[in-house]
Amino acid sequence: MAYSEDHIALAAEYALGTLDAEERVQVEAMMSVDADFKAMVEAWEYRLGPLNQMVGSVEPPAELWDRIKAAIGHSGEQQAFSIPLAAAPPPEPPVAESGLSPESMRVVRFAKQTYVWKRLAVTSMAIAASLFAIIAVQLYQPDILPDTLRPKIRTQVVEVQAPPAPTPAQFVAVLQKDGGSPAFILTVDAGTKNFTVRRVAATPEPGRSYELWLVSDKLQKPRSLGVIGSKDFTVRPELAAYDTDIVNKATYAVTVEPEGGSPTGVATGPIVFTGKLIESVPPAPR
């Protein structure tokens, strides 16, 4: 089985005895479940074992044994045994704990520092790769992320004001008799073809009604546009049924009919007022 550099370094440090308690527990747990990893640890122990032989043995001085014998009464006059107060021994250097020479310990410390920095670098690279992956998913596939990682949706309302509709042309006709005072004023909206009749000087006749007619040489006979009401303004839509050219060039006539208008659809009374449309307001430019 192939192992990463981190696993190999752990096995080597375990063989050297430089791991802390938590790391040793981790390695021993891996050895108990992974025979190959255990074999790798044992191989490192076999390789690093000769380092212990590089540490020379230290023989105690000869006078130390004499002092020991004198202290326990095996040599010379027996003296009362007393334990002298000794100062606390200085802390032993790491060499005594591991059994390695100072040169070997420097190599081990350097290897451990390298291992720690390598693990930090690998962790940093993993974190950076994860952040990059999250940002990429947020941009291209945000739906697969949990709600906490999805980018907040920003809604911006943009009000688009449509330009006002152009004002259509306005046409007006003065309905009068023989150039006299205006009896009615007819206004036509070129866009809707709705027309408005304003009463000016015409006086109502009891039992009679004024009726407006459209007279054109393109029509076989005059067409009724309805009765003009008794109020000051009468608005009607009947011109929408006719072509614009007919509307603009026709003559508009007013007759006096029985109350409610001509019963036959044909003018029965005399024509009292007439007029033609002229453009009073031009259409607004687009």
Side-chain angles (χ1 to χ4, degrees), residues 3 7 10 25-35 37-38:
Y3 293 95
H7 288 92
L10 277 175
V25 171
Q26 178 184 357
V27 174
E28 291 169 357
M30 294 174 63
M31 292 170 59
S32 65
V33 298
D34 190 343
F37 184 76
K38 180 179 180 181

Side-chain angles (χ1 to χ4, degrees), residues 241-273:
Y242 299 96
D243 181 78
T244 300
D245 188 62
I246 294 177
V247 172
N248 293 343
K249 297 180 179 179
T251 298
Y252 294 87
V254 176
T255 62
V256 178
E257 301 292 338
E259 187 173 6
S262 170
T264 62
V266 178
T268 59
I271 296 176
V272 291
F273 309 111

Side-chain angles (χ1 to χ4, degrees), residues 147-273:
D147 294 339
T148 55
L149 294 180
R150 292 182 183 178
K152 295 182 180 179
I153 299 176
R154 296 181 179 180
T155 303
Q156 184 176 5
V157 179
V158 178
E159 182 179 357
V160 179
Q161 295 183 351
T167 303
Q170 300 289 322
F171 292 84
V172 64
V174 178
L175 305 181
Q176 57 189 0
K177 182 176 182 181
D178 298 333
S181 299
F184 298 97
I185 295 177
L186 172 66
T187 304
V188 178
D189 187 300
T192 63
K193 294 183 181 178
N194 290 339
F195 67 88
T196 302
V197 179
R198 179 183 178 182
R199 184 186 297 271
V200 180
T203 57
E205 298 184 15
R208 311 288 287 178
S209 295
Y210 290 111
E211 189 167 354
L212 181 65
W213 300 83
L214 174 69
V215 182
S216 172
D217 55 4
K218 295 183 179 181
L219 301 174
Q220 294 181 353
K221 61 179 181 178
R223 302 292 179 88
S224 173
L225 298 179
V227 173
I228 300 174
S230 58
K231 297 181 179 180
D232 291 341
F233 293 91
T234 300
V235 181
R236 303 187 66 90
E238 277 77 359
L239 283 177
Y242 299 96
D243 181 78
T244 300
D245 188 62
I246 294 177
V247 172
N248 293 343
K249 297 180 179 179
T251 298
Y252 294 87
V254 176
T255 62
V256 178
E257 301 292 338
E259 187 173 6
S262 170
T264 62
V266 178
T268 59
I271 296 176
V272 291
F273 309 111

Side-chain angles (χ1 to χ4, degrees), residues 4-150:
S4 66
E5 292 183 2
D6 293 346
H7 288 92
I8 297 173
L10 277 175
E13 292 191 63
Y14 182 87
L16 288 172
T18 57
L19 295 178
D20 57 26
E22 183 178 352
E23 291 174 327
R24 291 187 65 82
V25 171
Q26 178 184 357
V27 174
E28 291 169 357
M30 294 174 63
M31 292 170 59
S32 65
V33 298
D34 190 343
D36 292 339
F37 184 76
K38 180 179 180 181
M40 183 171 62
V41 174
E42 293 174 349
W44 274 111
E45 291 175 344
Y46 176 77
R47 294 172 188 169
L48 299 176
L51 292 176
N52 291 326
Q53 300 176 5
M54 297 172 60
V55 181
S57 61
V58 179
E59 291 292 336
E63 61 270 15
L64 177 63
W65 295 113
D66 295 334
R67 290 199 301 269
I68 294 175
K69 292 176 182 179
I72 62 177
H74 285 187
S75 175
E77 184 179 354
Q78 184 71 31
Q79 297 179 358
F81 178 75
S82 63
I83 301 176
L85 297 176
E92 296 183 357
V95 175
E97 294 181 359
S98 61
L100 301 179
S101 64
E103 291 79 6
S104 299
M105 284 302 299
R106 283 195 293 270
V107 174
V108 171
R109 282 195 297 268
F110 178 76
K112 188 170 184 179
Q113 290 175 354
T114 304
Y115 169 71
V116 172
W117 282 111
K118 184 183 296 183
R119 286 200 294 184
L120 288 175
V122 171
T123 303
S124 300
M125 292 176 63
I127 294 174
S130 301
L131 291 176
F132 177 80
I134 291 175
I135 293 174
V137 173
Q138 285 179 339
L139 291 176
Y140 298 104
Q141 288 183 318
D143 293 339
I144 68 176
L145 292 174
D147 294 339
T148 55
L149 294 180
R150 292 182 183 178

